[in-house]
Amino acid sequence: MQFHPLATFSGIKSVPLLAVTYNGLVPRLALEDGVVIMRVFRSGRIAIADLDKVTVMKGMGLLVSLYPKAGWRSFSANFARAEAIRFLQALRAAGAPLDDKAKAALAAG
């Protein structure tokens, strides 16, 4: 399943608003067989089972952030609201660990 983010980012888990890398030209995001595939600087794969949490932050749209259990990096995608909700619905259906902010965004639609 393909999604259409406005931009993708990788950052440092302990500093949520600092992007280490950014892709606003050709961002790519897909969810296939329980794996999130995201292109920031290069393509990366994160298994749903390897996620510690998924959260959201409001901005111009919604920023959906994925925090893997291992490593120091986080991965985020900025979306128009409707596309963010579609991505969160797909993550929930795949069994991703949504935090309270992500669940509230889904409930608000």
Side-chain angles (χ1 to χ4, degrees):
M1 180 180 291
Q2 297 288 321
F3 300 92
H4 306 287
L6 303 171
T8 54
F9 309 86
S10 70
I12 300 171
K13 284 183 186 179
S14 60
V15 188
L17 294 178
L18 177 66
V20 175
T21 55
Y22 161 80
N23 185 341
L25 294 175
V26 286
R28 178 175 181 254
L29 185 62
L31 181 58
E32 300 173 3
D33 300 321
V35 175
V36 177
I37 303 163
M38 183 182 292
R39 181 185 327 153
V40 182
F41 182 68
R42 58 188 162 116
S43 288
R45 302 169 71 83
I46 307 166
I48 296 294
D50 293 335
L51 288 174
D52 181 44
K53 74 173 179 176
V54 176
T55 191
V56 300
M57 187 179 305
K58 293 179 185 176
M60 301 266 311
L62 278 181
L63 183 70
V64 179
S65 297
L66 310 174
Y67 289 83
K69 293 175 185 173
W72 56 272
R73 291 174 32 165
S74 62
F75 301 90
S76 302
N78 192 31
F79 292 97
R81 185 167 186 81
E83 188 70 353
I85 297 302
R86 191 171 82 87
F87 182 51
L88 288 169
Q89 289 169 336
L91 287 171
R92 180 180 58 193
L98 304 182
D99 74 356
D100 291 340
K101 290 179 183 179
K103 290 175 185 174
L106 276 173

